[in-house]
Amino acid sequence: MLNHFEITFKSIIRDRIFHGIIFSALIFLLIPSVATLSMRQATELSMTLSLSLISFILLLLSLFLGGTHLWRDIERRYTYPVLSWPSSRSAYLVGKFSGIAAFIFLVALLLGGVAVLTVLITAGIYPPERPIVWNLFFLSIFFDACKYILIVAFAFLFSSVATSFFLPVFGSICIYFVGNASQQVHDYINAPATIGISSITKNMATFVYYILPNFSAFDFKINAVYRVPIQVSGVLMTGVYFVVYLCMVISVATLLFEKREMN
Amino acid sequence: MGGTKRHILSFCLFCLCYGLILGPFVNYMHNKPYAEKLGVLPTIATLKFLSADQKLLIGSSLVMRVITYFGGLAEMAKNKIEIPPDFPVMSRTIHAAVKLDPYNNDAYYFAQSFLVWDVGQIDIANSLLIEGMRYRTWDWYLPYFVGFNYAYFKHDFKSAAYYYQKAAELSGQELHINLAGRFMQESGQIDHAISYLTLMAKDASNPVAKKTFETRLTAFKQVSLIEKARDRFTLKYNRLPESVDELVRTGLLDKTPSDPYGGTFFLLPDGKVGTSSKFAFKNPKGNRPDSGATP
Amino acid sequence: MKALEIHNLVKIFKTKKGQSVHALNDLSFDVMQGEVFGFLGPNGAGKSTTIKTLVGLITPSSGNALINGVPVSTGTARLKVGYLPENPAFYDYLTPEEYLTYVARSFLVPVAEVPRCIEQTLKLLELWDARKRQMRSFSKGMVQRVGLAQVLVHDPDIYILDEPMSGLDPLGRSLVKNIILELKNRGKTVFFSTHITDDVEKVCDRVGIIVKGSLVAVNNVENLLKGGVEGYLVSLQSADSTLQNLAPFSVLRQSGTIFEYYIPKDGFNRFMELVIRSGSEVVLVETRRKNLEDYFLSLVK
């Protein structure tokens, strides 16, 4: 498994599309000057922009790496020799997945470092009213990375059955939107002020809500930007949710991948 | 195959774990403070830029967020959970939505339904609506709202008459001229409000807004009942009644009217009808310029 | 001892239109240890399907296959197997050296031995100079040699090669044949598929012929060829008039004063008597042997 992990890591680093995506991190250079446009909260704005930029880069990475990596191995028949080796298919899939996951964490960490510099520069020019809480800042980036790793897991799930890249790429884009909206839709449907929805629809919606991923849980951007403290229980809950949900998705993916015919 | 069985088993195990944490998790998400959910917005210029070609979509989603947020608060209030609504954020969000999509009727509608009653920001609401009139040139609702706000809240009857006239021109109905005329006499304030709210409630397609209007309408109808009883009392006894109870005792009211906001009605020394609820489920401090005890 | 056992293998594919295609029909055969077994069949006969079943890439609809007595569904069954896919492709962003390291580690080759194994294999396949180049720049022949390298690098006991000679130039083909013969000398088992009979004749001990998913024959190559001489091609130089003496035999081809005859084995002595009597000059005598290709064609048709 470690073996697959290493090769995946190598492949990402040598990938040209990855170089292109990382190139977009140059936008960080613009953030301090853009942040000065804000009159009253330059530091907050630079934090918001940094976090959003990190999110955006991680989103691109997760869609591109998750959506094409496994699929390309199958499409280009790299899997023929590899899957005939003694290690199991699940080891291959999990190894590959953890390679990408580790990579996303690494990129998040690096970009987080760049973001800290950016925010420090802005804060140096326009000192904020309240001190910056770096713990919250990093926690927000960490959970953001978790969210995108979950998207990679879904992309792997789709790749394990897909014969073209449409399902993994567009499927995970859908998951991205659905996962971000699920809590809002749930709240709306279950707001008692919402009338005219039958109880059957409501129950079905609730059931779907239970199954779909909930990315709102991973959103701690506001806490980071406005230093709103997070309860430890909230962090733990989100962490446990991430691990369990991830295991669930990956176990379905391996199950399907084990059964897949390599024609 | 043994492998498959093991995989199915581990999948079931994870599902079980998921089932175990789902309850607490859903609970946690449900109780995640609302202030966090409405979130912050970038400046409107940034938002416009970020929305790219999806300005309408983003605008609508902002309005939806505010509506859901507000609906949730109303529900919590009913369950005696006090969470102060973040009116400034709501107001900002609506503003942003209007900037992204100046035609978004929901935004104006919702602004009118909470900015004026709950926040008392009449000027903000009016400037928003007047801005909107530049875009929604066919819509008589916006001038009608403005006219109502001028007349009812600001007692600026000249401006009110001007906007009612505009509304009348657009709607092609005499209704608004009549309204303006009736209102000019400065009698029957409460009837004026009732006719306004009836119209609003009738047209409300959003359940949250509808409910808001209907609640207020119910309350105002009760006030109207009390006022009518008071007037009959004054005719009969040639003095003002001392309390609502007195009206009930003298048989001019069937029973003590109940305030849907959970307060109790009372009579002020000058005979005006007030309520302890101040016509709101809760009264966030500092958001209301006047006492608001009387409609 | 049996290296590979295939029992009643059936594979039914479902097409997208919902039709069933029987790729393998009740296929059974064994490959013995130390044997070179040629798996011969026309395109689409089910050779690749059989091989993919053996290496666990597809699951049979029914029946089973064993490697050294272990069912193929177990990953560890393939620990001593080297598999070369048909028209193989390898991670093109890796160098041969990196890829072979990946392979060797996956087959649990002791870490200390990995560099030595890789060097040996790369040198054998003449890839040593290209070992640090990314494979995306490789020609088809080089990729095929990398394919052989990844089979050889962990020194397995059983080699399963799917069309190992396809896409190679004559030099490459002879290299592959030599490698197979050398593996045979070292007592390894080689099971390879091909649609070229010549490959089988040169290197195989036994041949199995598969047609439309069924095994139609398994035979010893030596026995097949031992049938030996079937007849002779005889070329004579003579004048037209003398040919009348050879009347019982008919002329196969004529160019100028050269006449070519095909003489079955049992008619040869009589023919030669007539030739001597006619005074013609024998230019060339060629023996006609029984040919695997003829045998193959007769089975396929």
Side-chain angles (χ1 to χ4, degrees):
Chain A
M1 200 189 289
L2 208 64
N3 216 356
H4 300 303
F5 174 93
E6 197 186 314
I7 292 295
T8 307
F9 219 83
K10 241 177 213 159
S11 91
I12 299 170
I13 289 177
R14 290 185 189 169
D15 204 304
R16 278 170 207 165
I17 304 176
F18 159 70
H19 298 156
I21 293 176
I22 279 303
F23 208 63
S24 59
L26 285 179
I27 301 174
F28 268 115
L29 295 176
L30 295 176
I31 287 179
S33 53
V34 171
T36 59
L37 295 180
S38 165
M39 282 184 290
R40 313 207 58 186
Q41 49 168 13
T43 309
E44 280 82 354
L45 185 58
S46 75
M47 287 171 100
T48 310
L49 292 177
S50 305
L51 290 177
S52 295
L53 184 58
I54 293 176
S55 267
F56 182 67
I57 293 175
L58 291 184
L59 172 69
L60 287 184
L61 276 180
S62 64
L63 290 178
F64 151 69
L65 295 178
T68 63
H69 230 75
L70 184 56
W71 166 77
R72 196 181 51 188
D73 271 20
I74 299 170
E75 170 74 15
R76 296 204 183 155
R77 294 177 290 120
Y78 297 154
T79 44
Y80 280 178
V82 176
L83 294 183
S84 77
W85 297 347
S87 59
S88 68
R89 285 189 190 188
S90 38
Y92 166 80
L93 189 131
V94 173
K96 254 191 139 32
F97 172 77
S98 27
I100 294 178
F103 194 80
I104 284 188
F105 270 132
L106 187 75
V107 170
L109 191 72
L110 288 177
L111 293 181
V114 178
V116 167
L117 285 181
T118 313
V119 173
L120 279 179
I121 291 170
T122 320
I125 306 172
Y126 302 93
E129 290 167 22
R130 294 160 59 207
I132 301 163
V133 183
W134 292 112
N135 287 350
L136 289 177
F137 192 70
F138 276 108
L139 198 73
S140 161
I141 295 177
F142 172 77
F143 277 116
D144 220 35
C146 289
K147 176 169 78 188
Y148 292 111
I149 284 168
L150 217 50
I151 289 178
V152 174
F154 269 101
F156 266 58
L157 172 62
F158 294 136
S159 301
S160 67
V161 289
T163 48
S164 80
F165 73 96
F166 277 96
L167 183 61
V169 171
F170 293 104
S172 23
I173 290 176
C174 285
I175 288 291
Y176 170 70
F177 282 112
V178 166
N180 277 313
S182 63
Q183 184 67 33
Q184 222 176 318
V185 172
H186 177 74
D187 286 349
Y188 178 72
I189 287 178
N190 284 299
T194 315
I195 45 171
I197 294 180
S198 72
S199 62
I200 300 171
T201 321
K202 249 184 195 178
N203 287 341
M204 270 169 59
T206 310
F207 179 68
V208 173
Y209 166 75
Y210 286 156
I211 294 175
L212 289 178
N214 190 332
F215 293 152
S216 316
F218 296 91
D219 190 359
F220 292 106
K221 283 200 180 77
I222 287 132
N223 305 70
V225 173
Y226 292 97
R227 291 77 122 178
V228 181
I230 312 172
Q231 285 177 335
V232 179
S233 64
V235 174
L236 282 180
M237 184 51 89
T238 309
V240 171
Y241 174 78
F242 168 68
V243 171
V244 171
Y245 202 96
L246 182 70
C247 290
M248 207 163 63
V249 175
I250 289 296
S251 69
V252 184
T254 48
L255 190 60
L256 293 174
F257 194 61
E258 290 273 349
K259 289 265 150 213
R260 181 172 178 148
E261 306 268 13
M262 292 293 154
N263 284 315
Chain B
M1 246 197 324
T4 311
K5 254 186 209 150
R6 214 186 58 231
H7 285 293
I8 291 175
L9 200 70
S10 60
F11 171 63
C12 292
L13 190 75
F14 290 131
C15 282
L16 189 72
C17 292
Y18 183 61
L20 285 177
I21 64 150
L22 194 58
F25 177 74
V26 167
N27 200 24
Y28 158 70
M29 286 308 290
H30 195 72
N31 292 322
K32 222 177 161 187
Y34 268 101
E36 284 182 43
K37 278 196 187 167
L38 205 48
V40 276
L41 287 176
T43 61
I44 285 165
T46 321
L47 201 62
K48 260 189 170 166
F49 174 72
L50 290 178
S51 308
D53 57 348
Q54 301 296 338
K55 293 191 179 61
L56 300 193
L57 179 73
I58 307 286
S60 323
S61 84
L62 289 179
V63 177
M64 281 301 287
R65 272 168 76 181
V66 174
I67 291 174
T68 314
Y69 166 76
F70 192 62
L73 283 190
E75 181 50 29
M76 294 220 177
K78 224 182 258 169
N79 298 330
K80 310 276 182 233
I81 299 169
E82 295 255 336
I83 295 172
D86 193 346
F87 285 120
V89 171
M90 287 171 74
S91 172
R92 270 207 302 280
T93 312
I94 290 290
H95 259 276
V98 167
K99 286 282 181 241
L100 288 176
D101 176 7
Y103 293 91
N104 191 327
N105 200 13
D106 279 346
Y108 297 118
Y109 194 76
F110 197 70
Q112 174 68 3
S113 59
F114 87 88
L115 272 183
V116 293
W117 293 107
D118 296 284
V119 199
Q121 291 181 332
I122 315 297
D123 290 332
I124 292 180
N126 271 4
S127 70
L128 203 67
L129 291 166
I130 291 168
E131 179 76 9
M133 280 165 64
R134 280 177 40 207
Y135 297 95
R136 300 181 62 84
T137 49
W138 64 89
D139 192 347
W140 58 266
Y141 272 98
L142 300 186
Y144 175 65
F145 291 159
V146 179
F148 178 81
N149 292 346
Y150 269 123
Y152 187 77
F153 291 106
K154 303 196 69 94
H155 304 282
D156 178 351
F157 306 123
K158 206 172 149 208
S159 306
Y162 171 75
Y163 284 104
Y164 273 135
Q165 182 63 37
K166 281 209 150 178
E169 279 165 17
L170 286 173
S171 67
Q173 296 171 11
E174 290 301 296
L175 166 72
H176 306 107
I177 295 175
N178 291 343
L179 267 177
R182 187 178 346 154
F183 164 75
M184 289 298 186
Q185 298 159 10
E186 218 201 331
S187 65
Q189 276 243 40
I190 197 76
D191 289 339
H192 179 207
I194 287 173
S195 73
Y196 162 83
L197 288 170
T198 311
L199 185 72
M200 292 287 273
K202 191 179 66 123
D203 289 349
S205 56
N206 181 280
V208 178
K210 199 181 184 79
K211 209 157 183 138
T212 313
F213 288 128
E214 280 171 349
T215 312
R216 194 171 295 278
L217 189 57
T218 316
F220 279 19
K221 279 183 177 162
Q222 304 293 338
V223 173
S224 175
L225 273 180
I226 299 172
E227 282 186 354
K228 289 206 174 84
R230 177 199 64 195
D231 292 347
R232 267 175 280 148
F233 185 94
T234 320
L235 274 178
K236 207 166 164 183
Y237 300 104
N238 222 3
R239 66 170 174 90
L240 282 170
E242 274 164 18
S243 66
V244 178
D245 279 346
E246 192 175 356
L247 293 173
V248 179
R249 257 186 277 116
T250 51
L252 290 166
L253 271 179
D254 288 344
K255 55 180 168 53
T256 313
S258 70
D259 178 0
Y261 290 103
T264 31
F265 291 112
F266 53 83
L267 287 175
L268 293 167
D270 63 352
K272 280 189 174 163
V273 182
T275 169
S276 59
S277 70
K278 299 187 177 180
F279 299 105
F281 282 115
K282 71 206 119 330
N283 184 17
K285 270 177 204 158
N287 278 330
R288 204 176 278 266
D290 56 6
S291 83
T294 57
Chain C
M1 173 96 186
K2 291 167 181 170
L4 302 173
E5 294 166 67
I6 290 176
H7 299 304
N8 311 101
L9 221 52
V10 175
K11 181 67 197 178
I12 301 165
F13 285 117
K14 286 265 185 294
T15 62
K16 280 193 177 153
K17 287 172 189 161
Q19 296 158 321
S20 308
V21 177
H22 287 252
L24 298 178
N25 289 317
D26 201 23
L27 192 70
S28 299
F29 65 90
D30 300 324
V31 177
M32 296 301 166
Q33 227 166 45
E35 171 175 63
V36 177
F37 190 99
F39 198 40
L40 195 61
N43 291 327
K47 297 184 300 273
S48 281
T49 306
T50 313
I51 286 179
K52 283 179 183 171
T53 310
L54 274 174
V55 293
L57 289 175
I58 57 181
T59 322
S61 305
S62 72
N64 63 346
L66 309 173
I67 297 177
N68 282 335
V70 184
V72 289
S73 54
T74 327
T76 47
R78 300 189 290 271
L79 204 53
K80 288 283 168 202
V81 173
Y83 163 58
L84 173 69
E86 188 180 1
N87 302 323
F90 308 103
Y91 296 110
D92 57 9
Y93 44 80
L94 295 180
T95 66
E97 199 171 38
E98 286 167 336
Y99 190 73
L100 292 186
T101 312
Y102 182 30
V103 179
R105 285 196 197 156
S106 295
F107 280 94
L108 311 177
V109 175
V111 180
E113 286 177 35
V114 172
R116 190 187 51 80
C117 291
I118 290 174
E119 186 180 338
Q120 205 178 346
T121 318
L122 286 176
K123 281 185 173 161
L124 175 69
L125 289 157
E126 290 155 23
L127 287 166
W128 182 245
D129 295 330
R131 70 185 183 281
K132 295 217 184 288
R133 261 169 61 194
Q134 286 190 20
M135 289 189 278
R136 63 176 100 230
S137 62
F138 278 20
S139 69
K140 197 175 180 225
M142 283 172 94
V143 172
Q144 187 76 11
R145 277 186 278 153
V146 174
L148 286 163
Q150 56 102 35
V151 168
L152 296 167
V153 72
H154 57 285
D155 193 31
D157 296 334
I158 301 170
Y159 295 78
I160 298 175
L161 316 174
D162 198 350
E163 303 278 1
M165 270 85 124
S166 83
L168 288 179
D169 58 11
L171 227 66
R173 298 173 87 86
S174 105
L175 179 71
V176 174
K177 281 178 199 166
N178 286 336
I179 288 173
I180 293 177
L181 288 174
E182 202 210 303
L183 291 172
K184 182 177 163 182
N185 288 339
R186 287 169 54 206
K188 308 282 188 183
T189 310
V190 181
F191 173 73
F192 75 94
S193 74
T194 181
H195 55 268
I196 300 162
T197 50
D198 187 50
D199 299 342
V200 177
E201 265 181 48
K202 296 265 166 60
V203 295
C204 289
D205 298 320
R206 280 201 304 153
V207 59
I209 295 175
I210 183 173
V211 179
K212 287 180 185 155
S214 304
L215 200 68
V216 290
V218 181
N219 221 321
N220 199 308
V221 174
E222 214 167 304
N223 285 344
L224 273 175
L225 298 177
K226 207 159 49 181
V229 184
E230 281 185 315
Y232 301 89
L233 267 182
V234 185
S235 299
L236 302 176
Q237 186 163 38
S238 63
D240 279 349
S241 56
T242 58
L243 286 177
Q244 287 155 0
N245 298 327
L246 304 173
F249 301 96
S250 57
V251 177
L252 200 66
R253 248 196 320 257
Q254 181 195 4
S255 70
T257 51
I258 308 284
F259 298 86
E260 202 174 271
Y261 287 85
Y262 176 69
I263 313 298
K265 194 178 170 186
D266 48 354
F268 187 67
N269 286 345
R270 169 151 169 64
F271 177 74
M272 287 313 286
E273 273 173 35
L274 293 174
V275 170
I276 292 161
R277 218 176 292 159
S278 72
S280 303
E281 189 188 339
V282 176
V283 183
L284 184 73
V285 178
E286 260 183 281
T287 44
R288 262 292 178 88
R289 285 175 170 276
K290 197 191 254 177
N291 183 305
L292 187 59
E293 188 161 342
D294 298 334
Y295 177 62
F296 174 58
L297 287 175
S298 72
L299 284 171
V300 173
K301 276 167 187 166

